[in-house]
Structures are given as C-alpha cells and as structure tokens.
Amino acid sequence: MAAVLLAVALTTFASAEDARKPVPLIFDTDIGNDVDDVLALGMIHTLQSSGECVLLAVTITKDNPLAAPFTDAVNTFYGRGEIPIGVCRSGVTPEAGKFLGLAQQIDGDQLRFPHDLKSGADAPDAVVLLRKTLAAAEDHSVVIAQVGFSTNLASLLASQPDDISSLGGVDLVKKKVKLLSIMGGAFTQIPGKKGRYGEYNIIKDLAAAQKLTQQWPTPILWSGYEIGIALTYPHESIEEDYGYVPHHPLSEAYYLYSPPPHDRPTWDLTSVLVGVRDPEQYFALSAPGQVSINDEGHTIFAENPQGRDRYLILAEKDQRKVRETLVKLSKHAPGKP
C-alpha cells in the first residue's frame, strides 16, 4: 500500500487537473543556520506567483527568537506578510547565526526589511500551527518540505486529539498530507568523507529524525547531501541578479553567510523544487524502499517494492538544467508571474 501511495503522490503532478491546482505547501525550516533555506523560501514565493503552489505556513526548527522575524521579513518583501509562522522551543541551535540580524537592521528610522513579527516569543507553537493548517486543508493534498531538523514533525506525530482536530498526529498527517519532501541524509558515498556520512539535519536532532522515519505514514521523497553539493548556486547570480531593489534579503543574507565568490550548495532548494514540480523532470528516482536512521545519524536505505521512501538521483547530464531552474526561481522579482 505504501508503494501505491508513493506512486500516486509522485505521478499526480502529471495530471491535467492537478497541473491547474496550486500545491498547498508547508515549509519546515531551520532558517538561520545556512543560507540555502533563504533561497528556498524565495523560490517558494516565485512558485506561488506563478500559480504553482500556495504557502500555507512556515514552521521553524531553529530555536532562536530572530528566526521568525527574519522569515516574516522575507515573506513581507514578497508581499505575503500574512503567512503564519510557527516556532519550536527545543533549544536546538539557539545561536543567532550570521544573517538573522537583518530582521533588526535599521536604515534611518525605518526597518530595512519591514515586517510585523518582532520576536519568535510572539509566534505560535509550530505544532499548534501545523495541526491548524492540516485540519483546514483538503484531504491528501498538502506537501510538506522539511529542510531542517525533524523536531516539529516528530512532535506533530506525537500530538494528541484536541479542539483543533479529533485526530492524533499520525492520523491527521495520514489524512491530510500527500507527500513529505525532505532535505536530509546521504544516500551515496560523499567525496572526501570516510564511510557513511552523518548529515547535519539528521544529527542535530537525531531522536526526532529516528522517530519520523519510524512513524511517518505518508510517502517521503529524500534529497540527500550528495544532491546539494553537486548543484552549487553560482555566485555571479548573487552579485548580478538581485539589484532590482536597493536591498534584497536573499542576496544580503548570502553575503553575510559566505560572500561571493563562494558558490553555496543548494540543498534545501531541491526539496522545494520536487515538492512542487514533478521530480522526474529533473531527477531520476530510486526504487521504493524504507529509510531508517542508526544511532550514528546515518540514513540506511533498504529497497522494498512496498516501501514508503524514495530518494533523488542526479545524472551529470541534468546538472545544468537543474541549476538553471533553481537560479531562475530564486532570483525572480516579487509579484511577477
């Protein structure tokens, strides 16, 4: 049954009816730890402007009070400051990082990037927001792009029936979610690394990642570490393509995180792309199987025709096409289709 659901989830992109319907999307992110989350959020806004998705909510797995205001600033920059934002209170990666301070940047007497949410302390709990968002959605419609830790989604699975929904977390996910698109793990040997690779998003909240792989009830599509490092974002785009406004949150975050001529891997962007568009336009897919995570944080894939999981495979001949697509979607000016 899991393999059937996975096939349905990945092939519905191709139907004419689905092609006309924007994908209801939740973005679950550790924004602030790396700049690829910021580029991925910009991509989502471009995809929404073109009618391909609707960003229902952003939930954050970085426990820093500036992560939510910065996210609100980016959403506001793209004309969607009303998008709800939920936060965790987990203690995982509480540092401010290199660019979240842009949320407080003042030019003269005005915020450089206007927004309403001043602190994560004022934002709702991520699990409450996830439950509300899913309960209000059509059945089997929502795609979740998880590009940070599994903290929020593992807590969602553990949530109990309440006044939001009579369903517990597992049943609510099973009823409402079509696909979980995860940036996490590693499914090939990583150049320069010995043995299996414990990827950052997995190991920073290992218990949550293990729980998610054990209990998640819908199809999962994995974009491993090897995908993002093969698709670095060209620094020339950061230097040349964002100057249509005096200040742009994506390019300024990139400069603060690791300035050009550094080409940053596009890990999180790939999970957004395949969550909204047909993944087989850009990647090959593994056979169905089941992912488990050991105590060293290694993702173990066991092929199984009835499996819930598949992972992305990038052919060398497709790298240019995918990279150009990611850049085009990231640099697109707000509000333009």
Side-chain angles (χ1 to χ4, degrees):
M1 179 60 71
V4 172
L5 291 174
L6 180 58
V8 170
L10 296 179
T11 57
T12 50
F13 294 99
S15 74
E17 183 179 356
D18 262 37
R20 293 193 296 266
K21 293 176 63 175
V23 173
L25 183 69
I26 294 171
F27 187 51
D28 189 67
T29 171
D30 66 327
I31 198 164
N33 287 330
D34 204 329
V35 76
D36 54 331
D37 303 73
V38 188
L39 294 170
L41 183 54
M43 276 183 57
I44 292 171
H45 284 289
T46 297
L47 290 163
Q48 179 158 336
S49 293
S50 65
E52 296 181 65
C53 74
V54 175
L55 181 56
L56 302 178
V58 179
T59 50
I60 298 172
T61 54
K62 180 175 176 62
D63 190 4
N64 180 274
L66 288 179
F70 177 82
T71 300
D72 190 39
V74 175
N75 290 344
T76 302
F77 175 82
Y78 284 94
R80 300 189 179 98
E82 76 286 353
I83 293 171
I85 298 167
V87 301
C88 69
R89 284 137 181 131
S90 64
V92 178
T93 62
E95 309 81 13
K98 297 180 179 180
F99 58 79
L100 293 181
L102 287 171
Q104 298 178 320
Q105 182 66 45
I106 301 291
D107 294 330
D109 59 354
Q110 301 291 324
L111 286 169
R112 176 175 294 179
F113 300 110
H115 58 282
D116 297 325
L117 185 59
K118 304 307 180 188
S119 171
D122 302 322
D125 179 81
V127 174
V128 172
L129 179 57
L130 286 165
R131 288 185 59 82
K132 287 181 176 178
T133 304
L134 291 177
E138 293 183 10
D139 291 355
H140 311 297
S141 67
V142 176
V143 172
I144 301 177
Q146 179 192 290
V147 300
F149 319 132
S150 297
T151 311
N152 289 334
L153 298 191
S155 296
L156 170 64
L157 293 174
S159 65
Q160 299 300 307
D162 55 16
D163 57 356
I164 297 171
S165 173
S166 62
L167 299 175
V170 173
D171 289 334
L172 183 61
V173 168
K174 187 175 182 179
K175 184 177 182 180
K176 298 295 184 175
V177 175
K178 178 171 71 172
L179 178 70
L180 174 57
S181 180
I182 293 182
M183 190 280 117
F187 299 92
T188 65
Q189 181 64 45
I190 304 302
K193 309 291 184 182
K194 293 183 178 179
R196 293 184 179 271
Y197 182 66
E199 190 271 324
Y200 180 82
N201 284 350
I202 301 296
I203 63 176
K204 292 306 290 187
D205 193 344
L206 179 58
Q210 290 175 324
K211 180 175 182 178
L212 184 140
T213 57
Q214 292 161 4
Q215 298 184 12
W216 192 263
T218 80
I220 302 178
L221 183 58
W222 297 79
S223 181
Y225 182 87
E226 65 276 6
I227 300 296
I229 59 172
L231 295 167
T232 54
Y233 194 96
H235 68 270
E236 294 88 352
S237 174
I238 297 297
E239 295 173 299
E240 299 169 4
D241 293 338
Y242 294 82
Y244 52 81
V245 289
H247 295 286
H248 199 298
L250 271 60
S251 60
E252 292 193 16
Y254 196 106
Y255 269 93
L256 288 171
Y257 186 80
S258 186
H262 176 74
D263 291 348
R264 194 69 191 149
T266 58
W267 291 295
D268 296 350
L269 288 69
T270 61
S271 285
V272 167
L273 180 65
V274 300
V276 175
R277 291 184 176 175
D278 178 1
E280 293 184 280
Q281 291 185 50
Y282 305 98
F283 300 94
L285 302 179
S286 73
Q290 198 77 16
V291 171
S292 60
I293 299 174
N294 64 20
D295 289 341
E296 286 70 47
H298 304 148
T299 42
I300 313 299
F301 180 81
E303 191 171 321
N304 180 345
Q306 301 303 313
R308 172 198 63 193
D309 303 282
R310 296 177 85 170
Y311 61 86
L312 302 181
I313 300 168
L314 178 62
E316 186 174 352
K317 66 180 179 61
D318 294 327
Q319 289 184 11
R320 179 175 178 180
K321 174 186 176 181
V322 180
R323 183 180 288 107
E324 289 177 349
T325 300
L326 298 177
V327 171
K328 181 180 179 180
L329 292 171
S330 298
K331 71 180 184 180
H332 201 77
K336 295 185 178 181

